[in-house]
Structure formats: structure tokens, C-alpha cells
Amino acid sequence: MTTIAGEPVPRHGVRIFAIWLVLTAIAVPLIVLVLGPHLPPPHMTVESVDQRNANIVMTALLVPIALLVLVYFIYSFVFFRETTDAIVDGPPIKGHAGAQLLWIVLTSTIVLALAVWGSYTLIAGAHGAGGGQGPDPAAKPTGYQHALPVQVIGQQWEWTFRYPTYGGIETRDLAIPEHTLVAFHVTSLDVTHSFWAYELGVKADAVPGVDNIAYVNPRHTGLFQIRCAELCGLWHGHMSKKGRILASSAFQAWISAAQKKNASIVKYLPKYSRVYYPAPLRRAG
Amino acid sequence: MSATPIAAQPPVWRRLIGFNMLTGLALGIGGWFLGAWIGGQMAVGHPYLQGTDQNDVGIYMGYLFAVIGWLVGLGFANYPIGRLLGRAPSLRHHETGSWTRYFRLCTDHKVVGIQYLFGVGIFFFIGGLNAMLMRTELLRPVEQAWPASQYLTLVSLHGTMMIMMTSAFILGPFGNYFVPIMIGARRMAFPRIEALTFWLVPAAGLILLSAIAFGGIATGWTGYAPLADEGRAGMDAYVMSFILIAISLTLVGLNLMATILTMRAPGMSWTRLPIFVWSVLATSILMALAAPVLVASMTMVLMDRAANTSFFVASVGGSQYLYENLFWFFGHPEVYILALPGFGIVLEILPVFARKPLWGYRLAVAGMLGVTLLSFMVWQHHLFVSGMNAGLRPFYMLTTELISIPTGFIFLNAIGTLWRARIRFTVPMLFALAFFFNFLIGGLSGIFLSDVPSDVTTHGSYFVMAHFHYTIVGGLVFAFFGAVYYWLPKMLGFELNETLGKIHFWLFFVFFNLTFFPLFAAGFLDMPRRVSTYAPHLQTLNIFVSASAYVIGLSMLIFIANLIWSLVFVRQPAAENPWVSRGLEWQVPTPVPIENFDRIPVITSGPYEYGVPNAPPVADFAPGALPAAGR
């Protein structure tokens, strides 16, 4: 107990810090061990694992910050409230240089650390983290020259996919092989869409006239959800379908079947190109 | 409110004739038909207009002439024409008069403040009603209540209405009403421009609502081109109303900036300026710099639609990135145009009910100015996956995370002010404290979005939607209601019922959190924004959210009931200073006289000197002993 003006005053600061420390010691392990495995996205690819790790780290870092503010506020509501109806002034404290400096140093450290860590994971660790990087990606994974190119074409209101290394065929289903680096080349024929493959951890805007590249490394086979994440008009919510990650042999079988099916129509398709410029639509709703 | 004897007033019907809202409406409707006809004549010989089923030139000309007619009918042409005819300039005849001055051009800043309060309030409730209708659609995972096109129009109207109206949610009513009083001035720097800024708001709101009759809006509030280029005629309403609101915001910003910079009373030094006025100054800088960019981007969409240009059409050399850059260069400062006045309000309310000086006043000012500066450097975080400038993503990640440092200052101010305080939980204080809870969640969830790997998951999902509703509804709207309960006794002269106020607060606070916190989970579980159909396994979550949203609507009805009950039926006159605040605005009589002060007061002390021994009164209202300058 310290004293102010001869009266004993409880050591509020120590109490608040102790409550916060206990709560944080409980919360952080819970977040990392219990909540963490359930944070999105599911771990189907190297990129989605990186994104989930980012989400776990940030939740574990931000929850203690939130707890500190909340513990302080609730503590102050209990102990610093006026219990009588009288309007009594509190102590005229206008500031504290040391506390302000400490706050600035702490918040700046956290923020700069987050920015450095985020940049590192984006560029060096995750090679773009599954996000669209435009026609000339800044962060390329090793062996990107040998990545399987898959073109994703958005139009109102359907996704189609072209495989330039398999004769430029166009399919309505998306399948990619397991354990193979895939380069999605996302583009659009009309308005802006956004190619979102949730379980793959891929999101890239489909922009007319732009070849937006996103890399992904599938880790195991399974189904994944494809959606449109940018409002593109009337049936925006219906631009969803399932894609598949197949074992290499199954993928080869699937792609040769698709090539056979496409053989008669592939000559009517426009020549494979990084972008397409159809005549501009007007008044399509 | 007026001192004019009742016998001297003409009968009611006589007062309806003249330059007022009715005349404005009539001339506005006439202007619409004139403009549409002129536009029709202009389109002759232009096959791209005649060949389609809609003539955008006619629609834009119709809106333009409707706005001109509206303003002329309200009396905005009288002054320039009078000056041309040699009449001496005067504001007098605009500032006196009975209740009718609330329905016409009035240059009294207090009348404009109340016009804003009710005008913006009405549009706020229309926007809220749209949200209720959207949540009704989302009760089931397939389209049921509305067809997809109507659902999209609801989404777009809700977003656009709310963004447009909440931009002036605090600066309009409380900035106009209280800034001159708080700095010891008699009026704003440009009173006619002040009146104009308000009367553009109903014009913009009505034009936006007219989109319903023209095929709706399919783009959401962001209006991304080229989707905007191909939209139905409702898009023209969106473009025109956004242009009007942006002009209004620019003028509000310039006017408030000029007022605060030049019209402070003697002794109102920068360190005595109330923190709310600081936040208004920071916001007005943002408005004056960011809103003109919106006019530019909207004009380009207008040209694309009406004049067949192709700023945003890729196949003829345009770029959609141009729109995204221009829009978000306005759009991100806009977010802080919404947030900063909220910071000011809560920091203004906290010291009064904590009975302590504002802790770290200079830090709060630095925080607001820091946010102002940084907010112009972060806009590309909306475009992390757009494929543009991917190499710059670490830079925008850094600036976006940096902006949480000055925002954090505001939290430190609150923490310091509450330290060993004597907190009284009045209704305004409850709203101010809830602001910090909501903004804490809103701000920290923003860190997820600033980090690119995490943003790849959450971008364009309900996570984003929950995040910005936590900052804007949880921040701005809570601060707005704090200001309403805090300042309405001074503005309207009547007390509001405290019990109903507390019921409103608790329903709003609890069900706001129950509505939006689950939506973080919806975003994490891959529910994209702006869809009328979603994955069936998310239905339970969405029903829960919709039910909570309806209770928010109910809490707003309780607020309206409180207003009607307190202002129409009980009419308990408010004390001049019911909160025992040191603020200058509480030292003037209620109702505030027409020019606020008999004499310009001399400010003798800061507004937050609670508990400071021998603190002088905040101002000398009869500075007769001082040498009278120019009197």
C-alpha cells in the first residue's frame, strides 16, 4: 500500500497487471493449442498453412492487447466509480511523461515487429502467400519456371479454366495435381471478379486486361471451394463451384479425358493468350 | 424560440409561400423535366445513346437541373441576384423568423446544426431499414424474400446511404452547432456556404433513392468500374448523388477549417482548444483533400456512361485500376472522416463524467493529426490481391500497421483519464465507454486485414464487413448517440428520458456485438460479402445474426420513442449546464441566443480543469474591464 495525502491507496497498477498476466497465461496457450487448429483456412496447401500460421500468431498477439485494455476498463469501472450522487472532482492528473513514452515505445515495437514479420512471410517465406501478384510477381517460389500454368477466366457469372500446356483446352471444372507447383493466371472477360479458392488459400482479383498470377503448392488431395469475392453483378453469389486436387496419375487421366472431349471444339476457342479483349459490354445489368 | 409576438405573424398558409423547401421541391421536379428534355435534344444524332434503351445524358441533365431548381427554390439565388441589383449584403433576414427557418435557407449555424441532425437522421434510419430488409433475405441460404437484383439494390443503397450520411453524421449536426460556440465565435466563417452544404444533402439523398425507380444499383457502395459502366440507369443516381455529397463534404471541410483557424476568441490558444474541435479540424482537412478525388472518379464514371469515353474499359485502353486507385484514395481517408469525429466526441465526454482533466491532451492531438497524415498513405491495402503493384505490398502493410500507433494514443488518453477517476455512468458516458470496447475489437481485427498472408483469407469476406461495422457503427454511431444524449439538452432545450436512454444503450450495445461478432466467424468460414445466397451450413449463424440485427432496429425505435416522449409530451426544460461541464458551450444560455454571445468572450482557462485547485472560470463573458478593441 502506498499513501496519497496520508490515506492508504491500493496499488491498482500492480493488481491490474497481475489479473492481466493470469488471463494472458490462460488465453495464449488456449489460442495456440485449442483454437489455432480450427482457424482458417484449412491446410490443403503450403500457402494456406502459412495463412493459418499468420492467423494464429496474430490472434495470440492481439488477444493479450485486448485483454490489457479490457481488464483495465472493467477494473476502473469497479474501483474508480462515484458511489454517491454528488459530483466530486477526481485528482487533477494531466499526464505522465514516462507512461506516455512507454506506451509509444511498446506499441511502436509491436507494430514494427508485425510489419517486418508480415513482409518476411509474404516475400521470403510464403512467396506471395497465395495472393494475386499481377503479371510480374515480386515473390517467386523456387522452380516457378516449371510451375503448371492454369488460366482462370472470370466472366458474368461463371469460372472457366484453360490449360495452356495441354493444348489450351478450356474446362468448366478445375482440377490440379498434388505436390506440383501451380501458377494460376487469373483474368476476366468483362468486369472485376475475384478468384477465391478457400481451402487452397488463393485469392486473386480477375481484372479485365490483366494477367494476375498466384502460386500454390497443393499438399494433399481433396475437394476445395471456389467462389467470387468481388461484387460482379446480379449472380455474384452464384459463381461458386468445387475444385479438386488429384493425385498425379488421376490428374493425367482427367486431363487426357478432357483433351479428348475438347478435341472437336478447341479450334473454335480464341487462341490461348494471357489476356483477352472481347468487345466491351454495355448495359448488361 | 423566437421572440416575435404571435399576433405579428401571418397565417400558416401564407408562410408556406416563399423561398422554402416546398418551392424547392416544386422547382426541382420542374427542373428534372426541363433537364431531361434538354438531354433528349442533346442525344439526337448520337447512336450510342439513341440505340440503347436508356439515355444517360437526359438523366444526368435532369438531375442537374433538378438540383439547380431545388437550390433556387430554397433561395440560394437571391443573394447573388440581389448583389447584382445593388442590394447591400446582410445575413439578418436569414437568421430571424419562426419555425419556418428550419425549412429554408438559414445562415444561423445553430439552425443548420438542427437541420443536419434531423435531415441526416432520417437518411440514417432509411439506411438502417435497408439493413433490416437485407437481414430478412439472409434468413435462408437461397433467394427468398427479394429477387437477386433487389437484394443488390438494397445492399448498395444501405452502403451508399450510410457512407454518405455518416460522413456528416457528427460534423453536420454537432460540428456546425457547437464549433462556433466552443471557440467563442458568433457564426461560421462562410454562413451561406454552410447553408448550402446542408441543402445539398437532402438533394443527394433523394436522388440516391430515385435509383429504385431506375433499375437499382448493382455495384455496392464502392461502385467499381467497369461494372458501374454497364449498370442500369440507377447507376446515374449513384454517380450524381455521390458528386453532390462530395461537393458538400469539401465545402464543410473548408468552412470548418477556416472557422477554427481564424475565428477563435481571444485566449483560445491551441492548447485550450476543446479536443472535439481538434478532431473537427483534423477531419475537415481530410474532407477538403479527399472528397474532390471522389468528384474526379465519379465524373469519369459519368463520362464513361454518358459520353462513351473509356476510362475504365480495358478493351479500348482503359484501366479498372484507375478507378480503384482514385476511389480508395478518397475511400480510405473517408474511413477516418468517419472515425476521427468519434475520437473527439468520446474524449470530450470522458473528462466530464470522470471528473478529471483529459489525460495527455497533447498526445490526443498528436494522435489525431498522425491519423490524418497517415490515412493518405494506406489506400492500397484495399487492393492487396488485385494484382497491382505487388512489390509495394510490404510498404502498404507497414503504413497500415503504423496507423494503429496514433489510434492507440486515443486509448491511452482514455486509460489515463479513467485512472483514479470519479466515474458517473450517465447515458452519454455509457456510449463513450462502449465506443472503446467496440473500437478495440474493430481496430485489432483490422490488423488481420493489414497483414497480407492473413488478408488473402479474409479479403472480400464477411470478416471485412464485421471489421468495418465494428469501427463505423461501434465507433462512429456509438459516439454519435453519446453526443446526442450529451448535447441535445443544449440544442433543443429539453431533457431526454434517462431510463429510456439506458434501455436504448444496453439493447444497442449487447445486440450490436451479438450481430457483428459472429460475422467474423462467417468470414473465416468463407462467406463472401454482398451475396444473397450462401453455403447452407452457415444458415444457423445467419439466423442468429438476423435476429440480433432486428433487436438493434428495436433499440432505434426506443430511441425515437424517447425523442418523441421527451420533446413532445414531457417537455421538461433542461438545465443550462446539467452535466456541470466546464465546456464553453455549456456556459451560454438555453436556448442559445441568435449570435451566441453578447460580447466575444475572453478565454481564461482550458476546458478540462476538473479538480485543479483555484482553476479560473473557463471564460470572461463580459470583458468590459479589458480595453475594448474596435468597439
Side-chain angles (χ1 to χ4, degrees), chain B residues 76-89:
Chain B
F76 280 96
N78 299 4
Y79 173 75
I81 292 175
R83 291 288 284 154
L84 283 175
L85 298 177
R87 200 184 294 158

Side-chain angles (χ1 to χ4, degrees), chain B residues 79 174 289 556 582:
Chain B
Y79 173 75
F174 306 114
L289 293 179
M556 292 299 151
R582 279 181 58 90

Side-chain angles (χ1 to χ4, degrees), chain A residues 84-98:
Chain A
T84 64
D85 281 344
I87 296 177
V88 189
D89 288 346
I93 316 164
K94 291 189 173 178
H96 187 287

Side-chain angles (χ1 to χ4, degrees), chain A residues 74-136:
Chain A
I74 293 170
Y75 185 92
S76 70
F77 297 164
V78 176
F79 289 93
F80 303 146
R81 74 183 300 166
E82 180 59 57
T83 45
T84 64
D85 281 344
I87 296 177
V88 189
D89 288 346
I93 316 164
K94 291 189 173 178
H96 187 287
Q100 296 182 11
L101 191 68
L102 182 69
W103 179 275
I104 293 173
V105 169
L106 274 181
T107 52
S108 305
T109 311
I110 295 171
V111 160
L112 290 175
L114 267 176
V116 169
W117 170 74
S119 302
Y120 173 78
T121 54
L122 172 67
I123 306 288
H127 309 297
Q133 299 197 67
D136 183 23

